Amino acid sequence: MEQKIPYKIYLSEDELPKQWYNVRADMKTKPAPLLNPGTGKPVTLEELSQIFCTELAKQELNNDDAYIDIPQEIQNFYKMYRPSPLTRAYFLEKALGTPAKIYYKFEGNNTSGSHKLNSSIAQAYYARQQGLKGVTTETGAGQWGTALAMACSYFGLDCKVFMVKCSYEQKPFRREVMRTYGADVTPSPSDTTEVGRKILEEFPGTSGSLGCAISEAVECAVSHEGYRYVLGSVLSQVLLHQSIIGLESMAACDKYGIKPDIIIGCAGGGSNLGGLISPFMGRKLRGEADYQFIAVEPASCPSLTRGKYAYDFCDTGKVCPLAKMYTLGSGFIPSPNHAGGLRYHGMSSVLSELYHEGLMEARSVEQTAVFAAAQQFARIEGTLPAPESSHAIRVAIDEALKCKETGEEKTILFGLTGTGYFDMTAYQKFNDGVMSDYIPTDEDLAKGFAGLPEVK
Amino acid sequence: MEQKIPYKIYLSEDELPKQWYNVRADMKTKPAPLLNPGTGKPVTLEELSQIFCTELAKQELNNDDAYIDIPQEIQNFYKMYRPSPLTRAYFLEKALGTPAKIYYKFEGNNTSGSHKLNSSIAQAYYARQQGLKGVTTETGAGQWGTALAMACSYFGLDCKVFMVKCSYEQKPFRREVMRTYGADVTPSPSDTTEVGRKILEEFPGTSGSLGCAISEAVECAVSHEGYRYVLGSVLSQVLLHQSIIGLESMAACDKYGIKPDIIIGCAGGGSNLGGLISPFMGRKLRGEADYQFIAVEPASCPSLTRGKYAYDFCDTGKVCPLAKMYTLGSGFIPSPNHAGGLRYHGMSSVLSELYHEGLMEARSVEQTAVFAAAQQFARIEGTLPAPESSHAIRVAIDEALKCKETGEEKTILFGLTGTGYFDMTAYQKFNDGVMSDYIPTDEDLAKGFAGLPEVK
């Protein structure tokens, strides 16, 4: 029996999760192992520890432990901005005239503006535990860089962010937020790394790319004593940390007798979606409950819906291990026309395997339809959503409208990963009616697939 | 006996206030009445209703009712983003090494980024109740304009915002947020009003001023059938709506046995400070409890600490009624060097009277010290504060450090009115070490005082 559901459900501090959930432990077929690109063999802990903090490398390779304790200091930090509210979208339901019940887990109520902080604080914690001086990373849109800057500031770690040059110039405010938290932000490509200098020589005046920024960040980490590289998505360790989203959501649902029928999340590298669905997927894998899971990706970067399930490089610079995943090829670069994040060529190995097994669906949506949903949501539910999050809103609204047609009272839960305050250039395009859609042709995709590495 | 205090106290929906509190009812000396600038006599309800919605004009003149019911639709809207958390600043206390207990009421967790939404939704509600087509207003930094755009969008009202031209150009993102919520944003001065055309003719190429934008907004309202003008601060009706901040704070404090010794808020026109302290001040006025109240204003615009208590125009354009208040003169324009809001020449009549009677203190602080506090707070407590809010943070930290010296375990409560995501230009100046302070000379102030109207 359902209780009266408030607009927002906040768990009490005592109800907050004290362990992360590792969905790999409940998967019958584990995600395929990361491979050393040189040897073609599964990477060892020792190899991974050259790039990542040792404890994080262990988490990356851990397919067995279902629950991992959240260190007390991370729990404390989580209390700074968590629990995030599980919100009943009463206003949206009414506006749509749907019998569906819509809930969203809102992760934007912190200065990084997204869920990214859930993992950055964990990664910074383990870096400090290891006695490191600092960490390096890349950032495109800037949410991950901001989240990492905040986490490093908290633990007194040096934070070197390589920010794609065009973003560095077009998003000076994001850059300043990072600097306010003490991060060192370098436009990429830069002359501070060998790979950066090489690219600058080859392509003078280039505005950079995420792939190049990753390569610079990795080089910077391995060439500086006491530094490691950290990454905000794709990796299994990141999904582990992000399981806090799903665990809180599930606790709030259980507390109020809410049983989601459909769970929806946007998917770039998979960190939010993986975090949101993990504990629910665990129940499904254990046969305790059933849910329909929907990953939503942009039609301009359709790794799940049009990609290949194959081993590929995680980065355009080809310095990271190979991962088996749904991918468009590490050379695939989405149209600059595309406004938000979710531009990653691949997808988390964990989610890729779940999708491959048919345990999760995927849909691709076009940009103008996404911004129409974003505007509608902003006006009805108040919060101005990030373009990334709005992919999930689009499909949640579509599903709610289907219920209106069929009369089904489905319960829909979606992840609202963040706010769009730093994405107003894209909103302006939409407001001015000059936003357009882009769908890669089969020929475009073929070029990306041609670059897939051969793995024996 | 104090209970264990969580990091964040969220009231449950049942505990949310159902009435606003009107501190004027408990004041022995009421704030001086608004005067009609033409006749020099107290404005009548009929006169006020030409500019403002009738119900709001009634609230403006209501010195007697201590509690006013919050209409159910506004209560519903409040649930979209309220309760706001009362946060225990455990991290800040630890970092400062103070025995003081620090709490802050955070009003920034909504898309307008500040407490302004508390009043804009009320003003939009009454406008719709009156059957109006729309409302007009001015905005400088853009928080009020955004809050009004959100409220009007919710109630399907037309929203015409006159945005100071330099802000319109320098803060395109704020403008786009307003447009996303369907507001019509016009750079001021514009050729859409008589006063705008006159100013453009006299000062071609001017970048505008708040005073000019007010004059255009008022002209636009009175010259369009079915429109009224609305204002986001200074007025007693606004303090009434903002009392939701103090009422929630008091309920949370009472629930956990917290007894604030010092209550601190930043003060521009006084909407946040007035809202935060009202119910506590009520207890003080009724002799039920005692608190130290501190208004914090910028040294560059020191209306309480260096202003005169006199009748003055509320706007530079001299179209609004005269109010008795602490003022620097309606012709006083703070240095453009000043980064945040809080640039208003006067102060709420209610707060002015309370200050005049010695029931509240005031302090002025300099800009670089404010940003140093802002940066410190961001790094320690996570949230990037608005420059306005950071005035309160500065004094809260100063008071906590005094406790460190004296060993006193005072309980400090301050208002964190909003976030600084749209103020990164100012943060950049601070990050780059090129921010400077500005304190007006006595001669500067004398010029403003010279423009005070004579009132018999």
Side-chain angles (χ1 to χ4, degrees):
Chain A
M1 178 70 193
E2 262 188 25
Q3 301 174 46
K4 183 184 172 295
I5 311 287
Y7 282 74
K8 288 172 188 290
I9 303 172
Y10 285 105
L11 297 175
S12 74
E13 275 186 16
D14 296 340
E15 295 167 327
L16 293 183
K18 291 174 180 57
Q19 297 181 307
W20 292 304
Y21 169 68
N22 180 9
V23 71
R24 287 169 284 168
D26 282 312
M27 290 169 70
K28 275 166 210 152
T29 307
K30 308 295 179 191
L34 296 171
L35 300 184
N36 180 321
T39 64
K41 288 182 185 162
V43 288
T44 62
L45 177 61
E46 203 186 336
E47 287 166 347
L48 263 192
S49 304
Q50 304 300 312
I51 305 176
F52 302 118
C53 303
T54 309
E55 194 59 34
L56 292 166
K58 283 184 192 163
Q59 291 181 356
E60 193 62 32
L61 299 175
N62 185 340
N63 287 339
D64 303 314
D65 297 321
Y67 289 95
I68 291 175
D69 289 342
I70 305 175
Q72 188 59 49
E73 274 195 85
I74 299 177
Q75 287 189 45
N76 290 349
F77 187 89
Y78 279 165
K79 287 175 191 166
M80 205 187 266
Y81 67 101
R82 307 198 70 81
S84 71
L86 179 70
T87 303
R88 173 77 181 263
Y90 282 117
F91 297 100
L92 184 61
E93 291 170 18
K94 194 178 163 195
L96 297 175
T98 177
K101 291 163 188 167
I102 309 174
Y103 294 87
Y104 56 92
K105 180 73 169 167
F106 179 43
E107 291 289 319
N109 272 350
N110 70 76
T111 288
S112 79
S114 82
H115 65 292
K116 295 282 183 185
L117 199 53
N118 300 331
S119 182
S120 71
I121 191 63
Q123 298 196 44
Y125 170 82
Y126 292 115
R128 205 209 39 186
Q129 286 299 98
Q130 197 173 324
L132 298 178
K133 288 182 197 157
V135 292
T136 72
T137 200
E138 78 292 333
T139 201
Q143 287 179 323
W144 167 247
T146 307
L148 189 67
M150 291 175 70
C152 286
S153 160
Y154 183 71
F155 283 127
L157 283 169
D158 187 32
C159 178
K160 293 185 192 298
V161 180
F162 289 87
M163 187 171 188
V164 179
K165 199 176 197 171
C166 63
S167 296
Y168 183 91
E169 284 161 1
Q170 284 169 13
K171 294 198 163 187
F173 294 168
R174 273 278 187 212
R175 181 187 77 211
E176 286 310 318
V177 178
M178 289 184 255
R179 287 185 67 211
T180 300
Y181 284 89
D184 174 31
V185 188
T186 305
S188 167
S190 75
D191 61 4
T192 68
T193 65
E194 208 168 301
V195 63
R197 286 188 293 271
K198 199 172 150 192
I199 290 170
L200 282 173
E201 208 176 276
E202 203 168 339
F203 308 100
T206 174
S207 62
S209 72
L210 206 55
C212 168
I214 297 181
S215 305
E216 286 203 85
V218 173
E219 181 189 321
C220 180
V222 299
S223 65
H224 284 76
E225 180 80 22
Y227 282 78
R228 289 294 184 283
Y229 169 70
V230 297
L231 188 62
S233 190
V234 185
L235 298 173
S236 300
Q237 60 184 272
V238 177
L239 265 70
L240 174 72
H241 307 146
Q242 295 294 357
S243 69
I244 189 87
I245 305 173
L247 290 163
E248 279 186 12
S249 300
M250 201 160 74
C253 283
D254 288 352
K255 187 173 175 179
Y256 283 89
I258 301 160
K259 162 73 182 66
D261 298 298
I262 310 176
I263 303 179
I264 301 166
C266 62
S271 71
N272 155 68
L273 178 70
L276 174 65
I277 71 171
S278 273
F280 294 99
M281 183 63 83
R283 283 188 176 167
K284 181 166 176 162
L285 291 167
R286 295 190 303 271
E288 298 164 10
D290 196 20
Y291 309 93
Q292 181 184 9
F293 299 104
I294 307 175
V296 190
E297 60 184 14
S300 59
C301 192
S303 50
L304 284 171
T305 50
R306 296 177 69 196
K308 289 198 174 166
Y309 192 37
Y311 267 104
D312 194 9
F313 291 96
C314 292
D315 60 310
T316 329
K318 305 184 180 182
V319 294
C320 295
L322 295 168
K324 189 174 178 191
M325 56 186 177
Y326 279 87
T327 179
L328 300 166
S330 64
F332 178 83
I333 293 178
S335 160
N337 169 44
H338 181 66
L342 312 183
R343 301 167 61 93
Y344 189 63
H345 67 278
M347 181 59 62
S348 143
S349 290
V350 172
L351 292 180
S352 291
E353 180 58 30
L354 292 168
Y355 178 64
H356 184 65
E357 294 179 33
L359 291 158
M360 180 180 88
E361 302 168 27
R363 302 220 184 127
S364 74
V365 288
E366 293 179 35
Q367 171 159 268
T368 48
V370 165
F371 273 82
Q375 189 196 64
Q376 187 179 13
F377 184 83
R379 291 184 180 186
I380 295 168
E381 285 285 323
T383 299
L384 186 84
E388 295 85 344
S389 324
S390 304
H391 287 70
I393 297 174
R394 175 72 272 159
V395 170
I397 289 177
D398 290 346
E399 289 295 320
L401 291 175
K402 276 188 210 164
C403 289
K404 189 178 179 177
E405 279 179 31
T406 62
E408 287 175 290
E409 290 184 28
K410 286 189 181 172
T411 296
I412 298 168
L413 165 63
F414 72 90
L416 186 69
T417 55
T419 50
Y421 309 142
F422 291 94
D423 301 287
M424 294 319 296
T425 309
Y427 271 97
Q428 182 170 3
K429 272 192 191 167
F430 181 77
N431 292 337
D432 289 341
V434 298
M435 177 170 273
S436 60
D437 291 317
Y438 165 77
I439 302 179
T441 63
D442 287 342
E443 288 71 36
D444 292 333
L445 295 187
K447 283 179 207 161
F449 296 144
L452 286 173
E454 276 186 49
V455 174
K456 291 163 198 170
Chain B
M1 180 69 193
E2 261 189 26
Q3 300 174 48
K4 183 182 173 294
I5 311 286
Y7 282 74
K8 288 173 188 292
I9 303 173
Y10 284 104
L11 296 175
S12 73
E13 275 186 17
D14 296 340
E15 296 167 327
L16 293 183
K18 291 174 180 56
Q19 297 180 308
W20 291 304
Y21 169 68
N22 180 11
V23 69
R24 288 169 284 167
D26 282 312
M27 290 170 70
K28 276 167 209 151
T29 306
K30 307 295 178 190
L34 296 171
L35 300 184
N36 179 322
T39 64
K41 288 181 184 163
V43 289
T44 63
L45 177 61
E46 203 186 336
E47 287 167 348
L48 262 191
S49 303
Q50 303 300 311
I51 305 177
F52 301 117
C53 301
T54 310
E55 195 58 35
L56 292 166
K58 282 183 192 163
Q59 291 181 356
E60 192 63 31
L61 299 175
N62 186 341
N63 287 339
D64 303 314
D65 297 321
Y67 289 94
I68 291 175
D69 288 342
I70 305 175
Q72 188 59 49
E73 275 196 86
I74 300 176
Q75 287 189 45
N76 290 350
F77 187 89
Y78 279 165
K79 287 175 190 165
M80 206 187 266
Y81 68 101
R82 308 199 68 81
S84 70
L86 180 70
T87 304
R88 174 76 181 264
Y90 282 116
F91 297 100
L92 183 61
E93 290 171 17
K94 194 179 164 196
L96 297 175
T98 177
K101 291 163 189 166
I102 309 175
Y103 294 86
Y104 57 92
K105 180 72 169 167
F106 179 44
E107 292 288 318
N109 272 350
N110 70 76
T111 288
S112 80
S114 82
H115 65 293
K116 295 283 183 183
L117 199 52
N118 300 331
S119 182
S120 70
I121 191 63
Q123 298 196 43
Y125 169 82
Y126 291 116
R128 205 209 38 184
Q129 285 300 98
Q130 196 174 325
L132 297 178
K133 288 181 198 157
V135 292
T136 73
T137 200
E138 78 292 333
T139 201
Q143 287 180 321
W144 168 246
T146 308
L148 189 66
M150 291 174 71
C152 286
S153 161
Y154 183 71
F155 283 126
L157 283 168
D158 187 33
C159 178
K160 293 183 191 298
V161 180
F162 290 87
M163 188 171 189
V164 179
K165 199 176 198 171
C166 63
S167 296
Y168 182 91
E169 285 161 0
Q170 285 169 13
K171 293 198 164 190
F173 293 168
R174 273 277 188 212
R175 183 187 74 208
E176 286 309 318
V177 178
M178 289 184 257
R179 287 185 67 211
T180 300
Y181 284 89
D184 173 31
V185 188
T186 306
S188 166
S190 74
D191 60 5
T192 68
T193 65
E194 207 167 301
V195 63
R197 287 189 292 271
K198 200 172 150 191
I199 290 169
L200 283 173
E201 204 176 278
E202 204 169 339
F203 307 99
T206 174
S207 63
S209 73
L210 206 54
C212 169
I214 296 181
S215 305
E216 286 203 86
V218 173
E219 182 188 320
C220 181
V222 299
S223 65
H224 285 76
E225 181 78 22
Y227 282 78
R228 289 294 185 282
Y229 169 71
V230 297
L231 188 63
S233 189
V234 184
L235 297 173
S236 300
Q237 60 183 271
V238 178
L239 265 70
L240 174 71
H241 308 148
Q242 295 294 356
S243 70
I244 190 85
I245 306 172
L247 290 163
E248 277 186 14
S249 300
M250 201 159 76
C253 283
D254 288 352
K255 187 173 175 179
Y256 284 88
I258 301 160
K259 162 74 181 67
D261 297 298
I262 310 177
I263 302 179
I264 301 166
C266 62
S271 71
N272 154 68
L273 178 70
L276 174 65
I277 71 172
S278 274
F280 295 98
M281 182 64 82
R283 284 188 176 167
K284 181 165 176 163
L285 290 168
R286 295 189 303 270
E288 297 164 9
D290 196 19
Y291 308 94
Q292 182 184 7
F293 299 106
I294 307 176
V296 190
E297 59 184 15
S300 59
C301 191
S303 50
L304 286 170
T305 51
R306 294 176 71 195
K308 288 195 174 168
Y309 192 37
Y311 266 104
D312 194 8
F313 292 96
C314 292
D315 60 310
T316 329
K318 303 186 181 182
V319 293
C320 294
L322 294 168
K324 190 174 177 189
M325 56 185 176
Y326 279 87
T327 179
L328 300 166
S330 64
F332 178 84
I333 294 177
S335 162
N337 168 44
H338 181 66
L342 311 183
R343 300 167 63 94
Y344 189 63
H345 67 278
M347 180 59 62
S348 143
S349 290
V350 172
L351 292 180
S352 290
E353 179 58 30
L354 292 168
Y355 178 64
H356 184 65
E357 293 179 34
L359 290 159
M360 178 181 88
E361 301 169 26
R363 300 217 186 128
S364 75
V365 289
E366 293 180 34
Q367 170 161 270
T368 48
V370 165
F371 273 82
Q375 189 196 64
Q376 187 179 12
F377 183 83
R379 293 185 179 186
I380 295 168
E381 285 285 323
T383 300
L384 186 84
E388 296 84 345
S389 325
S390 305
H391 287 71
I393 298 173
R394 175 73 272 160
V395 170
I397 290 176
D398 290 346
E399 290 295 319
L401 291 175
K402 276 188 209 164
C403 288
K404 188 178 180 178
E405 278 180 29
T406 63
E408 287 174 289
E409 291 185 27
K410 286 189 180 172
T411 297
I412 298 168
L413 165 63
F414 72 90
L416 187 68
T417 55
T419 49
Y421 309 143
F422 291 93
D423 301 286
M424 296 318 297
T425 310
Y427 271 96
Q428 181 171 5
K429 274 192 190 170
F430 181 77
N431 292 338
D432 288 341
V434 298
M435 177 170 273
S436 61
D437 292 317
Y438 164 78
I439 302 179
T441 63
D442 288 341
E443 289 70 36
D444 293 333
L445 295 187
K447 283 179 208 161
F449 296 143
L452 286 173
E454 276 188 47
V455 174
K456 290 163 199 170

